[in-house]
Every structure is written in C-alpha cells, then in structure tokens.
Amino acid sequence: MAKILLVDDEESIRFTLSAFLRRDGHVVVTAASLDEALRALEPANGGPPDLVITDIILRGENGLDFTRLVRERCPFVPVILLTGRPSVESAVRAVSEGAEQYLTKPVDKEQMLQAARTALRHKALDDERRALVAERENLRVHLEAVFQAVPDVLVTVTPDLRIQRMNLAARELPGGARDARQTAGRRFDEALGLFAPLFRPVLDETLGTRRASRRRRVSAQLADGREQVFEIEAAPSAGGGGEFLGALLVARDVTRLAGLEEALGHRAGMNQIIGRSAPMSELFHLLDELAQTDTTVLITGESGTGKELVAEALHRGGPRALGPLVKVNCSALSEHLLESELFGHVRGAFTGAVRDRVGRFQLAHGGTIFLDEIGDVSSAVQLKLLRVLQEREFERVGDTRTVKVDVRVIAATNRPLADLVRSGRLREDLYYRLRVVELRLPALRDRRSDIPLLVDHFVEQFNIHFHRRVAGVTPVALQALMAHSWPGNVRELRHALEHGFILSRGDVIDVDALPPEVRAAVGMSPTPAPVQRSIACDTDLQRQGAGNAWGADRAGDRSGGRSMDHGMARLPRGTGHPVARRTASLPARQPFTTARSIPASIPTACPWTWPVPGGEGIRHPPSRRYRAGRFRLSRLLCLSCLPRPSCQSGRSGPSGRSGRQARRALSTAVGSARNTPPTAPKLAVACG
Ligand SMILES: Nc1ncnc2c1ncn2[C@@H]1O[C@H](COP(=O)(O)OP(=O)(O)OP(=O)(O)O)[C@@H](O)[C@H]1O
C-alpha cells in the first residue's frame, strides 16, 4: 500500500482516478490546486507521498512547475504527469524536470494503474539501493574510525607496495609520513621511513604467497637510543569478487611486554641455576652476555653439572626465547635414526619411512636446538652438522631439496672432545665450529660452598612435589653432604635429598635418611644399627608370633638382617615401575613390596620404625595422607606395625576387630600386588 498525491483541477478526474487507485489498495490524497498540493507535502500533513500524479494544466498554474518543486523538496518521490494537450515542448520539459512518466488524457484505468505500479516499483528499488549505500557508508565510516583508533600500526598496500591507507598509529611512527592526504599512492618504503625495512619481510611474504604471513618480532633502535619492539604480521586483502588487492600490515608495539618477558625469562632461566661460588658467578656473567647473541656454544662438564639447565637459560634469556627450544640426546639414537631425527626424511627414504618427517632442526626454526652428548655422533652426521653450522642448510634424508633454517645451536658433552679429535673420532672442523664459545661447568666438589644453597633449593622443590613442610637438613646431615665427593654432581645431590624426603617423616632430614655413600662421608656406617624402638617392636613381635610367618621372619632378621628378605618383595629395579624409579637410589637389597592402594582402615598414624637390611630406620607416614590420596608413591609402610593388640613400647595401633580388619585389608592389597599369599610381606611401598 502506497500513499499517492493526486493533483487535478477537474473534480471528475480526481474522483475517477482516485477511485481506480484506492481500489488497487493505495491511500490517495487529492488536491485541486498547487497550493493544496504543496500543503499536502508538508510534514504536518503526513509528509511526502510515495508517488505524485499531477495534471500539467491547472487553471493558470503548471504541473511542470509543481514537478520541479517536488523534486526539490522530496527528491526520491516519482512524479507522473497527465495532460490533455500533449506537445513536444511539454514532454521535453517533463523529462528535464525529472518526471517518471508522461501520460496523455484520457487515461484509462489499466493505463493509470500500470503507470502507478511501475513508478512505485522503481521507487522501492531506488529506496533499497539508497538504504544499502547508506549502510555501506555507515560501515565505512565506522571502520574508518576503528581503523584510525586502533593503537596498532595498520597499513594497506597494493601488490606493487604502494600505500592504500595508513592509520594514525602508522602516521605517528618516527620518520614516517604524517599527512593522510600525502600517504595514499606513495611507495611503502618512503611512507614508513625508518620502519619500512623492518616491516617489509611480512609484506613481501604475503604479497609473494598471497597468504597470511608468520607473526614475527622485530625491534628498532630509535634516534634517542630507546629500543622499540613490534610484533608484525600481514594478511592478504581481497575485493568483493575475491580478487587480490594487496596486503594489510599489522604491527603491534610490544616493547613493554618484551621488556617484561625478557626480565622474567631471564630470571626463570637463571633462577633455576643455583650457585654463588666464584666459578658460578663467572658463569652467570658469561651467560648474560651469551644469551643475547646467536653464537654457537659448547657446554662441557661432568655428568649432572647442569649443562641442560644452562642451555635452557641461554635460550630463555635471549631474543629467541619465544621460539622453540628443541633438545636432542645424540647418544640415545643409532646413526641412521639420529640423522633422520635431526634432519627429517621423505617417504620411502629407507625401509619403514612410510611418510615424510620433519627433523628437529626444522622444528627448531626461529629458536634453539640443544644437541646433548654431541661427542657421540657418527661421521656421516658430523658432516651434515658441519654444513648446518656453516650454511644453516641441509637436505632431508632421501631428498634433494635444500632446507634452510634459522637456528641457534647449543651443544653439550661430558666427554673430552679434544681427545676425540686426536683419536680421529670427531672432525676437527666440527669441533671448532661447535666450540665457538665453550662454557665449562664446574664439578660440585669444586664449588662446595654452593651445597647449602642447592640443598635449600631442592628442599623447596621436594616440599612442593611431596606436599611436605620439611625445613631443611640437620647439621650432621649437612656435614655429610658437604663432605661427600659428589661424582654425580648436582644430580646426585638432588637424588640424595629425594632419598632423604622418602625416608624421613619429620620436619628435618637427618643424616640417617641420606644414601649410604653420603652417610659414609661422615664416618657413619652405610648400614647402621637398627634404632632402639625397632628393636623393641621386633622383640615384641617375636614374643607374640612365634608360630606365625611374621614371628619366624623377625627371628631370622635379628640374627643378621639378610633373612629379613624372606617373605618380602624386591623393588623391580631398572624397570619402568614407578616405585623402582623413585627409589632407585636406595640400597640394592632394600626390601619393599608394593600396594596399589591402601585400605582406609589402616591406622591414622604409626610411630614405629623398623630395621631393614639396608640399615634404614623406616618410619611410617601418617596414613591419613594415603586416604586423602595425595601421595603418589614411595611411602614406606611397615606391615609388622599394623594394628595388633599391644606392643612393648606402649604405643600400639588400633586393636580388636578394626585392627584385624585393617591388617587383613592391607595384607590383601600388598599380597595381590605381589601375587603372593597375603601374610607374606613385611614392608610395603604404597603407590597412590
Ligand atoms: N646449578 C644448578 N642449580 C640447580 N639445579 C641444578 C644445577 N645444576 C644441575 N641441576 C639439576 O641437576 C640435574 C641434572 O642437571 P642437567 O641434566 O642439566 O645436567 P647435565 O650436565 O646436562 O647432565 P648429563 O651430562 O648427564 O646430561 C637436574 O635436575 C638439574 O635441575
């Protein structure tokens, strides 16, 4: 339904035509003169109609003049002109005034309706087009505002690197073009000034590949000496039909973030390396310098001195920190596997190469590769390594195409590489390429003053790991730790403290919880006498259970210790069993068995200690913690001290029915873990 203004000085025509139009569903407003017609256009009278139909000759007035007025006041309203006296002049004027149609009277119904419908359809299409244009313009204005307001540098360029648009942030870059009117059409290099060469690589990548570029971090030194760091990337820009129009560059200022990251990364890397002794201070100083460079570094030192830790610090403390750090243990793989691991291979390169594989060097692109045990590589791999170190390029196994990489190489060894060179097992040229800078890590025995610091560090780590609150080690334990020669260096010290955590239940680790070889350093026997309470318990047990398997075992135990192995399981050493791994540093004949779960009915705390052939006095942990399921494994539990009616020490576990139930339940758990009868085991390691 449309609103139509019909202007004619003849009433009969107004009546007839408005009847046709109303019957066609329209609202018709009529006017007999130009004055009336102009009033009808006013907003107070409902505003402009959708269509005006007017006679040309209106008693001294002219419908053509009215047409002009309509076009001026409401330019989107179509006008149909009617005339009883058609002439070429009036028709020409009708067209020039912008009339939609020119009809000669008499006008029949169909002719009138057809003309009105056509004019209204054109108007509807025109309205729609204008709405779309307005919407697009709104969007453009909105986007322009966003484009200008974004704090990131935004620049769009044509495929031949001419500026299309630059936002405010881009125009504010030092040395760049500031005036928006001067930037369009200018060459990118001129418009971006100092920053052009910095930003170009991502644009070149996108313009070359027509794909989004990789995100990169670049930095520029400003005239005032400050460094400005950007994260840059580019994406292709396309027209409405998908045609390639050029690229959009986005450069985000991350100077502050980079500063924070650097400080954090540096701290994270360095903070993990503990030491205050002179050789360590010197090392930290060198690390500071080397982290900022791309120099190949060879880290040497005995096993366990922290070579891997130092490699991590070099990576984290430098500009490659955001890139990958890829570690390869070169001694862990055979020659062929190592070659394919390092450089990758293509499908069919050798039997079993069923698909292409990317090597570690490629994975480390943009970051660092750490080649541990570098002294153990074959001559074929040495040759390839030499080329990567010299040219930063290689071919995958079975491929002829050259792969280029941007990788920092850090290598480590605990073998004397110079000897390997002399004996011909290591290429001399490779040796010198690897040893651009050598970092020699001191053995722990050469920096004993760091031991207390390291002890505190590991105690802190294990407190978190084991959910404990151990305050430290006793003076005697520290004395032993300081006196030991540490052939396994810091790794061995770490293991010794883990051993101490496992074997002690109190708030401090005493010397008797340390491994035998450490205890021996202070003249303590590696297999000390059982502690007093254990003997009491032992006697008690013997008295109680002469006739059962427990009593029999204990009797044998007192006579020499070895017989205590009877009825006890051994840890599956060297296997992948978690208990074996975690207690690997315990004496070889330490009797343990494993229980997958500890029944809820075992006593909440057991004060007993128990002698074992290794000489450890093993104290029970509060079993509440088992129930909470927080212990992962390696809690030692003495089955002998499970609930029983009484004990000579006067500290007995729960007795009666609940005690018997608890004992049976735990024995069953242990027994089923060992696949032996439930009465057999004496000690259990609980794996939660
Ligand atoms: N200075 C140190 N501060 C703290 N922890 C250290 C330090 N040095 C070594 N460690 C710890 O000792 C253990 C062994 O370190 P790492 O693996 O880095 O030694 P490595 O010299 O690479 O040994 P290997 O030659 O056997 O590969 C790790 O748990 C490491 O965290």
mmCIF file with all atom_site columns, all heavy atoms in Angstrom, residues 104-117:
data_model
loop_
_atom_site.group_PDB
_atom_site.id
_atom_site.type_symbol
_atom_site.label_atom_id
_atom_site.label_alt_id
_atom_site.label_comp_id
_atom_site.label_asym_id
_atom_site.label_entity_id
_atom_site.label_seq_id
_atom_site.pdbx_PDB_ins_code
_atom_site.Cartn_x
_atom_site.Cartn_y
_atom_site.Cartn_z
_atom_site.occupancy
_atom_site.B_iso_or_equiv
_atom_site.pdbx_formal_charge
_atom_site.auth_seq_id
_atom_site.auth_comp_id
_atom_site.auth_asym_id
_atom_site.auth_atom_id
_atom_site.pdbx_PDB_model_num
ATOM 1   N N   . THR A 1 104 ? -1.032  10.856 -21.613 1.00 0.00 ? 104 THR A N   1
ATOM 2   C CA  . THR A 1 104 ? -1.998  11.777 -22.231 1.00 0.00 ? 104 THR A CA  1
ATOM 3   C C   . THR A 1 104 ? -3.410  11.325 -21.917 1.00 0.00 ? 104 THR A C   1
ATOM 4   O O   . THR A 1 104 ? -3.699  10.129 -21.853 1.00 0.00 ? 104 THR A O   1
ATOM 5   C CB  . THR A 1 104 ? -1.788  11.827 -23.756 1.00 0.00 ? 104 THR A CB  1
ATOM 6   O OG1 . THR A 1 104 ? -1.718  10.493 -24.254 1.00 0.00 ? 104 THR A OG1 1
ATOM 7   C CG2 . THR A 1 104 ? -0.521  12.568 -24.119 1.00 0.00 ? 104 THR A CG2 1
ATOM 8   N N   . LYS A 1 105 ? -4.242  12.314 -21.642 1.00 0.00 ? 105 LYS A N   1
ATOM 9   C CA  . LYS A 1 105 ? -5.640  12.021 -21.335 1.00 0.00 ? 105 LYS A CA  1
ATOM 10  C C   . LYS A 1 105 ? -6.370  11.719 -22.639 1.00 0.00 ? 105 LYS A C   1
ATOM 11  O O   . LYS A 1 105 ? -5.976  12.258 -23.695 1.00 0.00 ? 105 LYS A O   1
ATOM 12  C CB  . LYS A 1 105 ? -6.274  13.226 -20.655 1.00 0.00 ? 105 LYS A CB  1
ATOM 13  C CG  . LYS A 1 105 ? -5.743  13.488 -19.264 1.00 0.00 ? 105 LYS A CG  1
ATOM 14  C CD  . LYS A 1 105 ? -6.427  14.706 -18.693 1.00 0.00 ? 105 LYS A CD  1
ATOM 15  C CE  . LYS A 1 105 ? -5.915  15.050 -17.315 1.00 0.00 ? 105 LYS A CE  1
ATOM 16  N NZ  . LYS A 1 105 ? -6.458  16.295 -16.809 1.00 0.00 ? 105 LYS A NZ  1
ATOM 17  N N   . PRO A 1 106 ? -7.416  10.993 -22.663 1.00 0.00 ? 106 PRO A N   1
ATOM 18  C CA  . PRO A 1 106 ? -7.967  10.343 -21.477 1.00 0.00 ? 106 PRO A CA  1
ATOM 19  C C   . PRO A 1 106 ? -7.112  9.137  -21.060 1.00 0.00 ? 106 PRO A C   1
ATOM 20  O O   . PRO A 1 106 ? -6.598  8.429  -21.916 1.00 0.00 ? 106 PRO A O   1
ATOM 21  C CB  . PRO A 1 106 ? -9.352  9.898  -21.947 1.00 0.00 ? 106 PRO A CB  1
ATOM 22  C CG  . PRO A 1 106 ? -9.211  9.694  -23.415 1.00 0.00 ? 106 PRO A CG  1
ATOM 23  C CD  . PRO A 1 106 ? -8.170  10.663 -23.900 1.00 0.00 ? 106 PRO A CD  1
ATOM 24  N N   . VAL A 1 107 ? -7.026  8.947  -19.750 1.00 0.00 ? 107 VAL A N   1
ATOM 25  C CA  . VAL A 1 107 ? -6.231  7.822  -19.229 1.00 0.00 ? 107 VAL A CA  1
ATOM 26  C C   . VAL A 1 107 ? -7.204  6.762  -18.731 1.00 0.00 ? 107 VAL A C   1
ATOM 27  O O   . VAL A 1 107 ? -8.091  7.055  -17.915 1.00 0.00 ? 107 VAL A O   1
ATOM 28  C CB  . VAL A 1 107 ? -5.363  8.288  -18.048 1.00 0.00 ? 107 VAL A CB  1
ATOM 29  C CG1 . VAL A 1 107 ? -4.513  7.157  -17.526 1.00 0.00 ? 107 VAL A CG1 1
ATOM 30  C CG2 . VAL A 1 107 ? -4.483  9.449  -18.465 1.00 0.00 ? 107 VAL A CG2 1
ATOM 31  N N   . ASP A 1 108 ? -7.067  5.551  -19.245 1.00 0.00 ? 108 ASP A N   1
ATOM 32  C CA  . ASP A 1 108 ? -7.994  4.519  -18.747 1.00 0.00 ? 108 ASP A CA  1
ATOM 33  C C   . ASP A 1 108 ? -7.434  3.884  -17.466 1.00 0.00 ? 108 ASP A C   1
ATOM 34  O O   . ASP A 1 108 ? -6.282  4.127  -17.068 1.00 0.00 ? 108 ASP A O   1
ATOM 35  C CB  . ASP A 1 108 ? -8.316  3.501  -19.845 1.00 0.00 ? 108 ASP A CB  1
ATOM 36  C CG  . ASP A 1 108 ? -7.129  2.657  -20.203 1.00 0.00 ? 108 ASP A CG  1
ATOM 37  O OD1 . ASP A 1 108 ? -6.197  2.536  -19.362 1.00 0.00 ? 108 ASP A OD1 1
ATOM 38  O OD2 . ASP A 1 108 ? -7.079  2.095  -21.318 1.00 0.00 ? 108 ASP A OD2 1
ATOM 39  N N   . LYS A 1 109 ? -8.276  3.082  -16.885 1.00 0.00 ? 109 LYS A N   1
ATOM 40  C CA  . LYS A 1 109 ? -7.942  2.510  -15.571 1.00 0.00 ? 109 LYS A CA  1
ATOM 41  C C   . LYS A 1 109 ? -6.629  1.706  -15.613 1.00 0.00 ? 109 LYS A C   1
ATOM 42  O O   . LYS A 1 109 ? -5.734  1.924  -14.794 1.00 0.00 ? 109 LYS A O   1
ATOM 43  C CB  . LYS A 1 109 ? -9.098  1.619  -15.125 1.00 0.00 ? 109 LYS A CB  1
ATOM 44  C CG  . LYS A 1 109 ? -8.875  0.960  -13.811 1.00 0.00 ? 109 LYS A CG  1
ATOM 45  C CD  . LYS A 1 109 ? -10.022 0.026  -13.490 1.00 0.00 ? 109 LYS A CD  1
ATOM 46  C CE  . LYS A 1 109 ? -9.703  -0.842 -12.298 1.00 0.00 ? 109 LYS A CE  1
ATOM 47  N NZ  . LYS A 1 109 ? -10.683 -1.888 -12.126 1.00 0.00 ? 109 LYS A NZ  1
ATOM 48  N N   . GLU A 1 110 ? -6.557  0.804  -16.578 1.00 0.00 ? 110 GLU A N   1
ATOM 49  C CA  . GLU A 1 110 ? -5.374  -0.073 -16.639 1.00 0.00 ? 110 GLU A CA  1
ATOM 50  C C   . GLU A 1 110 ? -4.090  0.727  -16.834 1.00 0.00 ? 110 GLU A C   1
ATOM 51  O O   . GLU A 1 110 ? -3.057  0.460  -16.209 1.00 0.00 ? 110 GLU A O   1
ATOM 52  C CB  . GLU A 1 110 ? -5.519  -1.082 -17.791 1.00 0.00 ? 110 GLU A CB  1
ATOM 53  C CG  . GLU A 1 110 ? -6.031  -2.446 -17.373 1.00 0.00 ? 110 GLU A CG  1
ATOM 54  C CD  . GLU A 1 110 ? -5.497  -2.889 -16.009 1.00 0.00 ? 110 GLU A CD  1
ATOM 55  O OE1 . GLU A 1 110 ? -4.271  -3.089 -15.881 1.00 0.00 ? 110 GLU A OE1 1
ATOM 56  O OE2 . GLU A 1 110 ? -6.283  -3.013 -15.039 1.00 0.00 ? 110 GLU A OE2 1
ATOM 57  N N   . GLN A 1 111 ? -4.225  1.735  -17.734 1.00 0.00 ? 111 GLN A N   1
ATOM 58  C CA  . GLN A 1 111 ? -3.058  2.558  -18.029 1.00 0.00 ? 111 GLN A CA  1
ATOM 59  C C   . GLN A 1 111 ? -2.578  3.280  -16.758 1.00 0.00 ? 111 GLN A C   1
ATOM 60  O O   . GLN A 1 111 ? -1.390  3.322  -16.444 1.00 0.00 ? 111 GLN A O   1
ATOM 61  C CB  . GLN A 1 111 ? -3.476  3.593  -19.070 1.00 0.00 ? 111 GLN A CB  1
ATOM 62  C CG  . GLN A 1 111 ? -2.343  4.070  -19.931 1.00 0.00 ? 111 GLN A CG  1
ATOM 63  C CD  . GLN A 1 111 ? -2.832  5.142  -20.907 1.00 0.00 ? 111 GLN A CD  1
ATOM 64  O OE1 . GLN A 1 111 ? -4.043  5.443  -21.007 1.00 0.00 ? 111 GLN A OE1 1
ATOM 65  N NE2 . GLN A 1 111 ? -1.904  5.720  -21.638 1.00 0.00 ? 111 GLN A NE2 1
ATOM 66  N N   . MET A 1 112 ? -3.564  3.809  -16.021 1.00 0.00 ? 112 MET A N   1
ATOM 67  C CA  . MET A 1 112 ? -3.239  4.530  -14.790 1.00 0.00 ? 112 MET A CA  1
ATOM 68  C C   . MET A 1 112 ? -2.569  3.627  -13.760 1.00 0.00 ? 112 MET A C   1
ATOM 69  O O   . MET A 1 112 ? -1.521  3.931  -13.169 1.00 0.00 ? 112 MET A O   1
ATOM 70  C CB  . MET A 1 112 ? -4.551  5.136  -14.221 1.00 0.00 ? 112 MET A CB  1
ATOM 71  C CG  . MET A 1 112 ? -4.340  5.991  -12.989 1.00 0.00 ? 112 MET A CG  1
ATOM 72  S SD  . MET A 1 112 ? -3.549  7.568  -13.377 1.00 0.00 ? 112 MET A SD  1
ATOM 73  C CE  . MET A 1 112 ? -1.889  7.290  -13.015 1.00 0.00 ? 112 MET A CE  1
ATOM 74  N N   . LEU A 1 113 ? -3.237  2.460  -13.583 1.00 0.00 ? 113 LEU A N   1
ATOM 75  C CA  . LEU A 1 113 ? -2.708  1.546  -12.549 1.00 0.00 ? 113 LEU A CA  1
ATOM 76  C C   . LEU A 1 113 ? -1.303  1.037  -12.921 1.00 0.00 ? 113 LEU A C   1
ATOM 77  O O   . LEU A 1 113 ? -0.418  0.937  -12.073 1.00 0.00 ? 113 LEU A O   1
ATOM 78  C CB  . LEU A 1 113 ? -3.662  0.373  -12.341 1.00 0.00 ? 113 LEU A CB  1
ATOM 79  C CG  . LEU A 1 113 ? -5.000  0.736  -11.700 1.00 0.00 ? 113 LEU A CG  1
ATOM 80  C CD1 . LEU A 1 113 ? -5.857  -0.506 -11.485 1.00 0.00 ? 113 LEU A CD1 1
ATOM 81  C CD2 . LEU A 1 113 ? -4.787  1.449  -10.375 1.00 0.00 ? 113 LEU A CD2 1
ATOM 82  N N   . GLN A 1 114 ? -1.158  0.696  -14.199 1.00 0.00 ? 114 GLN A N   1
ATOM 83  C CA  . GLN A 1 114 ? 0.135   0.180  -14.664 1.00 0.00 ? 114 GLN A CA  1
ATOM 84  C C   . GLN A 1 114 ? 1.247   1.206  -14.430 1.00 0.00 ? 114 GLN A C   1
ATOM 85  O O   . GLN A 1 114 ? 2.330   0.885  -13.910 1.00 0.00 ? 114 GLN A O   1
ATOM 86  C CB  . GLN A 1 114 ? 0.031   -0.145 -16.168 1.00 0.00 ? 114 GLN A CB  1
ATOM 87  C CG  . GLN A 1 114 ? 1.210   -0.929 -16.716 1.00 0.00 ? 114 GLN A CG  1
ATOM 88  C CD  . GLN A 1 114 ? 1.391   -2.237 -15.957 1.00 0.00 ? 114 GLN A CD  1
ATOM 89  O OE1 . GLN A 1 114 ? 0.404   -2.936 -15.674 1.00 0.00 ? 114 GLN A OE1 1
ATOM 90  N NE2 . GLN A 1 114 ? 2.634   -2.535 -15.566 1.00 0.00 ? 114 GLN A NE2 1
ATOM 91  N N   . ALA A 1 115 ? 0.932   2.484  -14.784 1.00 0.00 ? 115 ALA A N   1
ATOM 92  C CA  . ALA A 1 115 ? 1.932   3.548  -14.624 1.00 0.00 ? 115 ALA A CA  1
ATOM 93  C C   . ALA A 1 115 ? 2.273   3.738  -13.136 1.00 0.00 ? 115 ALA A C   1
ATOM 94  O O   . ALA A 1 115 ? 3.455   3.875  -12.751 1.00 0.00 ? 115 ALA A O   1
ATOM 95  C CB  . ALA A 1 115 ? 1.394   4.852  -15.219 1.00 0.00 ? 115 ALA A CB  1
ATOM 96  N N   . ALA A 1 116 ? 1.226   3.715  -12.290 1.00 0.00 ? 116 ALA A N   1
ATOM 97  C CA  . ALA A 1 116 ? 1.467   3.899  -10.842 1.00 0.00 ? 116 ALA A CA  1
ATOM 98  C C   . ALA A 1 116 ? 2.313   2.758  -10.284 1.00 0.00 ? 116 ALA A C   1
ATOM 99  O O   . ALA A 1 116 ? 3.270   2.965  -9.520  1.00 0.00 ? 116 ALA A O   1
ATOM 100 C CB  . ALA A 1 116 ? 0.123   3.979  -10.115 1.00 0.00 ? 116 ALA A CB  1
ATOM 101 N N   . ARG A 1 117 ? 1.960   1.525  -10.698 1.00 0.00 ? 117 ARG A N   1
ATOM 102 C CA  . ARG A 1 117 ? 2.720   0.368  -10.172 1.00 0.00 ? 117 ARG A CA  1
ATOM 103 C C   . ARG A 1 117 ? 4.193   0.446  -10.590 1.00 0.00 ? 117 ARG A C   1
ATOM 104 O O   . ARG A 1 117 ? 5.093   0.202  -9.793  1.00 0.00 ? 117 ARG A O   1
ATOM 105 C CB  . ARG A 1 117 ? 2.116   -0.944 -10.695 1.00 0.00 ? 117 ARG A CB  1
ATOM 106 C CG  . ARG A 1 117 ? 0.851   -1.343 -9.966  1.00 0.00 ? 117 ARG A CG  1
ATOM 107 C CD  . ARG A 1 117 ? 0.267   -2.604 -10.564 1.00 0.00 ? 117 ARG A CD  1
ATOM 108 N NE  . ARG A 1 117 ? -1.142  -2.727 -10.244 1.00 0.00 ? 117 ARG A NE  1
ATOM 109 C CZ  . ARG A 1 117 ? -2.035  -3.282 -11.027 1.00 0.00 ? 117 ARG A CZ  1
ATOM 110 N NH1 . ARG A 1 117 ? -1.695  -3.746 -12.223 1.00 0.00 ? 117 ARG A NH1 1
ATOM 111 N NH2 . ARG A 1 117 ? -3.273  -3.369 -10.651 1.00 0.00 ? 117 ARG A NH2 1
#
